[in-house]
């Protein structure tokens, strides 16, 4: 595995730091790949503490692929910002997720770049999601897109849908604007605007499903590569009526 001189210096620095704190260091196989981390020995189970790096390199359909994870543990729990990357034949997924004592808490950001760009040389952004989670539930604005769908949503301080949510579905043939009006987890109105007549036509809500689909397809499995010391957000936003 090639980390270069800078990576080697950082690795040595972490080893010295770990030794100074009475920690032991592990470097070897871990969940189909390799990991580098420091830990504190316990009577029943070792407690992870400090820097953690994981890498899994493999080949998929003749192309190089990898999964890379980097973050910190505190008292055997994920803490602070963790970074995730996964590259395969389809493209590259990058995520940045915050934790506090093992609970998803902080920024939750992802982007997917496809290899379907110009002549396969320029990556094309196909999915993006940006929000903030507090104690495991989304709070505040949620923005992103999924191929042809661009959306904006908002959750109140309790993590329930609130305010006006919008989604514009614009493919090559037509553009449809969807609107959902929420009040503390209760759906008051859901409709789309007819492009020809301008009339509002009642329909089922759909924006929560788009958000959950992005998380389930691209970040949930990637985040679970390192399950120790954390819970996971499945992309679900709960409601009082018609919710999961």
């Amino acid at each position: 595995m090639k980390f270069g001189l800078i990576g080697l210096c950082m690795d040595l620095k972490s080893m010295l730091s770990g030794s100074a704190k009475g920690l032991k260091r592990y470097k070897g196989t871990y969940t189909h790949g390799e990991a580098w981390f420091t830990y504190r020995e316990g009577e029943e189970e070792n407690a992870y503490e400090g820097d953690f790096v994981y890498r899994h390199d493999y080949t998929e359909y003749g192309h190089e692929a990898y999964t890379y994870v980097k973050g910190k543990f505190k008292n055997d729990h994920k803490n602070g910002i963790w970074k995730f990357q996964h590259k395969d034949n389809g493209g590259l997924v990058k995520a940045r997720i915050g934790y506090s004592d093992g609970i998803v808490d902080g920024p939750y950001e992802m982007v997917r770049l496809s290899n379907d760009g110009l002549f396969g040389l320029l990556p094309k952004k196909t999915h993006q999601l940006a929000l903030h989670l507090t104690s495991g539930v989304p709070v505040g604005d949620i923005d992103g897109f999924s191929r042809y769908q661009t959306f904006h949503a908002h959750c109140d301080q309790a993590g329930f849908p609130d305010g006006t949510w919008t989604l514009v579905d614009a493919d090559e043939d037509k553009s449809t604007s969807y609107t959902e009006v929420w009040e503390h987890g209760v759906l008051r109105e859901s409709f789309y605007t007819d492009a020809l007549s301008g009339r509002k036509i009642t329909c089922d809500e759909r924006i929560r499903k788009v958000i959950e689909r992005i998380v389930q397809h691209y970040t949930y499995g990637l985040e679970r590569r390192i399950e120790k010391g954390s819970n996971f957000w499945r992309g679900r936003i709960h409601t009082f009526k018609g919710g999961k």
Side-chain angles (χ1 to χ4, degrees):
M1 195 170 304
K2 300 178 181 179
F3 282 92
L5 181 59
I6 294 178
L8 178 59
C9 291
M10 292 178 63
D11 197 40
L12 291 174
K13 182 179 179 181
S14 297
M15 291 178 68
L16 292 174
S17 176
S19 299
K21 297 178 182 178
L23 302 176
K24 294 193 174 182
R25 186 166 185 81
Y26 175 84
K27 178 179 180 181
T29 58
Y30 193 102
T31 315
H32 307 297
E34 293 184 285
W36 297 256
F37 60 89
T38 50
Y39 66 94
R40 182 178 295 107
E41 284 191 323
E43 293 183 2
E44 296 183 359
E45 186 176 359
N46 295 331
Y48 290 19
E49 186 76 31
D51 294 334
F52 183 98
V53 177
Y54 168 83
R55 177 111 181 182
H56 177 209
D57 292 275
Y58 61 101
T59 301
E60 181 182 70
Y61 303 115
H63 297 271
E64 293 184 358
Y66 70 84
T67 298
Y68 175 77
V69 182
K70 183 179 181 180
K72 288 182 179 292
F73 278 93
K74 181 179 179 181
N75 297 324
D76 210 35
H77 292 93
K78 287 181 182 176
N79 207 65
I81 301 297
W82 279 61
K83 296 180 179 180
F84 304 81
Q85 288 189 22
H86 177 73
K87 184 180 185 303
D88 57 23
N89 191 42
L92 172 67
V93 176
K94 301 172 67 175
R96 180 174 174 267
I97 302 174
Y99 298 87
S100 178
D101 295 326
I103 298 174
V104 183
D105 189 282
Y108 193 102
E109 304 165 354
M110 69 76 63
V111 62
R112 178 180 183 267
L113 303 173
S114 172
N115 291 333
D116 298 333
L118 182 63
F119 304 115
L121 298 176
L122 297 178
K124 178 182 178 182
K125 188 184 296 184
T126 63
H127 298 79
Q128 188 167 4
L129 181 65
L131 65 146
H132 187 98
L133 287 106
T134 300
S135 299
V137 297
V139 173
D141 291 340
I142 304 173
D143 291 285
F145 65 86
S146 174
R147 295 194 182 276
Y148 305 112
Q149 299 176 324
T150 302
F151 56 85
H152 171 79
H154 182 86
C155 290
D156 60 23
Q157 293 299 311
F160 292 109
D162 195 58
T164 300
W165 290 30
T166 59
L167 182 148
V168 178
D169 192 338
D171 58 24
E172 297 179 355
D173 299 323
K174 62 180 180 178
S175 178
T176 306
S177 297
Y178 295 87
T179 301
E180 300 169 10
V181 180
W182 292 89
E183 183 178 353
H184 188 57
V186 177
L187 182 62
R188 297 301 187 186
E189 190 176 14
S190 179
F191 62 90
Y192 70 89
T193 304
D194 182 75
L196 295 178
S197 65
R199 292 187 303 112
K200 296 196 310 184
I201 301 176
T202 301
C203 62
D204 293 334
E205 56 138 328
R206 63 180 58 205
I207 302 175
R208 286 192 306 147
K209 294 180 180 179
V210 174
I211 296 170
E212 182 177 351
R213 191 179 304 119
I214 292 175
V215 172
Q216 289 286 331
H217 284 186
Y218 298 111
T219 54
Y220 177 67
L222 183 57
E223 186 186 3
R224 289 195 61 188
R225 287 296 184 98
I226 311 301
E227 293 193 344
K228 185 175 179 63
S230 67
N231 65 355
F232 311 100
W233 186 51
R234 298 174 181 267
R236 295 174 180 169
I237 301 175
H238 297 281
T239 65
F240 285 122
K241 292 183 179 181
K244 299 179 182 178

